[in-house]
Amino acid sequence: MFNKIIKDLQESSDPERAKNLQWFFKTGKGEYGKGDIFLGITVPMLRSISKKYQNLDLAEIQKLIENKIHEYRLSALMILRFKYEKTLRLPIEKRVAQGKEIVVFYLKNTKKINNWDLVDLSCHYILGNYLLDKDRAILYQLAKSKNLWKRRIAIISTFEFIRNHQYIDTLEISKILLKDKHDLIHKAGGWMLRELGKRDKKTEIDFLNKHYKSMPRTMLRYAIEKFSDRERKIYLAK
């Protein structure tokens, strides 16, 4: 089965699109995606292929996620997500055991989850969902990591909490990341605050009023994107 998915991925490649993706995902020298290699497969096509091979075992997924080709790693994470979502339909004991196995695998491989789409298309569906009713200390460890992608995993994983009207961890991790130096973290933090605000605007405004002075400009702009023109002007002028 492993050789078959490789064949399908290779046959779906688009060299011209791959060139554009290598520019879009900043793969040049000194950029955050340095050295990443693309086949040029669209996300819908990649999702379709991954769903076809969702019964790959973890050993085979490990081979995919260790590969230098970006779409191999993304396919591995999509398959892992499909496998995790299957566990949610199992009886409680099996669900807990199999869900934990997948989350342990995910955390073991965070160094390979090394571009923003790999993070954003996987972490809240897997890690965030798993932690809904569990201790979340691991997210605070990730938020303080020197690794850019681990920090992004920390904040984006809270998207699942937001969807379930649990906001404390999004706010606390956003505070940790207020002094982060990377634009991709500023965007992620602002995005999560914006999502929180769609559900509880007062809580978002309370956070902004306390922290807007120390908040990176990009994070602020993302956070207030859905505000009225008047509200945005007030915050941006402060």
Side-chain angles (χ1 to χ4, degrees):
M1 190 177 286
F2 180 78
N3 291 333
K4 288 181 179 179
I5 189 173
I6 296 299
K7 182 174 181 289
D8 283 359
L9 290 169
Q10 289 290 339
E11 288 179 350
S12 301
S13 64
D14 181 339
E16 192 59 37
R17 191 170 189 275
K19 290 179 184 177
N20 293 331
L21 289 174
Q22 288 189 213
W23 169 82
F24 184 72
F25 284 97
K26 308 299 182 187
T27 63
K29 185 177 180 180
E31 295 181 311
Y32 61 74
K34 178 185 175 183
D36 212 351
I37 299 171
F38 286 79
L39 293 177
I41 307 173
T42 66
V43 171
M45 176 60 72
L46 197 58
R47 187 178 289 114
S48 177
I49 293 170
S50 301
K51 196 163 189 176
K52 180 180 174 182
Y53 294 99
Q54 60 185 291
N55 290 324
L56 282 178
D57 61 32
L58 291 181
E60 292 171 314
I61 296 172
Q62 186 70 47
K63 292 179 186 177
L64 278 179
I65 205 168
E66 288 179 350
N67 199 280
K68 61 184 179 181
I69 295 174
H70 186 96
E71 287 92 345
Y72 285 20
R73 302 198 304 283
L74 184 50
S75 181
L77 293 165
M78 286 181 172
I79 292 170
L80 202 65
R81 174 186 163 186
F82 291 140
K83 292 179 85 69
Y84 179 81
E85 289 173 346
K86 274 187 177 180
T87 71
L88 301 179
R89 300 189 290 271
L90 295 173
I92 183 66
E93 288 186 9
K94 287 186 177 180
R95 181 169 79 237
V96 171
Q98 292 184 26
K100 182 178 181 180
E101 182 182 25
I102 289 168
V103 167
V104 168
F105 179 93
Y106 187 86
L107 290 170
K108 184 184 74 172
N109 284 287
T110 49
K111 287 185 178 179
K112 286 95 173 179
I113 306 170
N114 57 355
N115 216 313
W116 59 263
D117 62 324
L118 302 178
V119 172
D120 297 358
L121 291 170
S122 65
C123 68
H124 54 101
Y125 296 108
I126 299 172
L127 183 58
N129 183 274
Y130 180 77
L131 294 176
L132 272 174
D133 59 353
K134 298 176 183 64
D135 181 85
R136 298 165 185 181
I138 183 62
L139 295 185
Y140 292 83
Q141 294 175 31
L142 293 170
K144 296 173 183 177
S145 172
K146 293 181 179 179
N147 182 283
L148 163 65
W149 308 114
K150 289 183 180 182
R151 300 198 304 277
R152 189 166 173 110
I153 287 170
I155 186 63
I156 300 296
S157 289
T158 71
F159 199 176
E160 187 68 12
F161 307 161
I162 294 169
R163 286 172 170 160
N164 286 271
H165 306 286
Q166 300 175 23
Y167 307 133
I168 292 174
D169 297 288
T170 301
L171 299 173
E172 291 301 316
I173 292 172
S174 292
K175 276 196 267 185
I176 292 171
L177 299 175
L178 283 174
K179 295 182 179 179
D180 203 282
K181 303 298 183 184
H182 206 289
D183 187 59
L184 285 175
I185 299 301
H186 304 166
K187 291 177 179 178
W191 172 22
M192 290 303 101
L193 290 171
R194 183 177 75 233
E195 292 298 328
L196 188 158
K198 289 179 184 178
R199 296 156 176 85
D200 188 340
K201 190 171 181 179
K202 182 182 181 302
T203 295
E204 182 188 4
I205 287 175
D206 287 345
F207 182 87
L208 293 175
N209 287 343
K210 290 177 184 176
H211 301 290
Y212 73 90
K213 289 183 179 178
S214 57
M215 186 178 291
R217 192 75 164 181
T218 298
M219 185 185 285
L220 178 60
R221 285 185 178 278
Y222 270 61
I224 63 175
E225 186 178 302
K226 297 298 181 180
F227 284 19
S228 68
D229 287 343
R230 184 183 65 82
E231 289 172 314
R232 286 200 305 273
K233 286 177 182 177
I234 289 171
Y235 276 103
L236 293 173
K238 286 182 178 180

